[in-house]
């Protein structure tokens, strides 16, 4: 009888141990999956922030090129077509940024608007001033994005 009782206790102990191990592994797997999702989202945000900054900077370059060619109708038309194409790409990058961030992005909107405002410069001095404003707005956007990415690097508290 004591041999049977000993065997039952051993089997019960093995079952409890197996159950405990399973629960701990399941919990660790859930935490690992949550960390992986968080890292994936951070990578998506990083790609969206940097993609927008690159796209809006290319737009600025094209708008300035068009502005500099405004007195040459032959050179102006392709420059404006390029600026229009890059404007559409920058807007697409802005939409992606909004989808990934899940919130309004006023600094991105300001940078995008400043890129478009370059077209209205009256002379080279005003163009240079508007370019500085654009650079300041992109710098503010990047600083904000970097701060948000740094915050998302912090481990989730439980």
């Amino acid at each position: 009888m004591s041999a049977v009782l000993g065997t039952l206790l051993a089997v019960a102990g093995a079952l409890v141990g197996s159950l405990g191990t399973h629960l701990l592994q399941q919990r660790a797997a859930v935490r690992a999956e949550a960390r992986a999702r968080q890292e994936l989202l951070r990578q998506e945000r990083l790609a969206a922030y940097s993609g927008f900054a690159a796209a809006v900077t290319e737009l600025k370059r094209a708008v300035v090129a068009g502005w500099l060619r405004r007195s040459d109708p032959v050179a102006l038309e392709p420059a404006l077509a390029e600026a229009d194409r890059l404007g559409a790409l920058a807007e697409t990058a802005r939409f992606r940024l909004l989808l990934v961030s899940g919130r309004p992005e006023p600094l991105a909107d300001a940078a995008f608007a400043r890129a478009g405002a370059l077209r209205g410069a009256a002379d080279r001095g005003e163009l240079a001033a508007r370019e500085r404003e654009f650079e300041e707005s992109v710098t503010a956007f990047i600083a904000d994005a970097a701060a948000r990415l740094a915050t998302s690097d912090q481990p989730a508290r439980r």
Side-chain angles (χ1 to χ4, degrees), residues 12-73:
L15 287 174
V16 169
S18 293
L19 179 62
T21 301
H22 172 73
L23 292 176
L24 289 174
Q25 287 176 342
Q26 185 178 26
R27 199 167 160 194
V30 166
R31 273 190 251 136
E33 184 179 346
R35 279 193 297 268
R37 283 184 185 167
Q38 184 179 10
E39 178 58 21
L40 180 61
L41 180 57
R42 193 186 82 72
Q43 291 294 326
E44 285 290 326
R45 286 179 177 153
L46 174 62
Y49 294 143
S50 60
F52 173 75
V56 77
T57 300
E58 280 298 304
L59 172 60
K60 182 215 57 140
R61 181 196 56 75
V63 170
V64 169
W67 189 93
L68 293 172
R69 291 175 175 85
R70 70 190 189 285
S71 61
D72 180 0

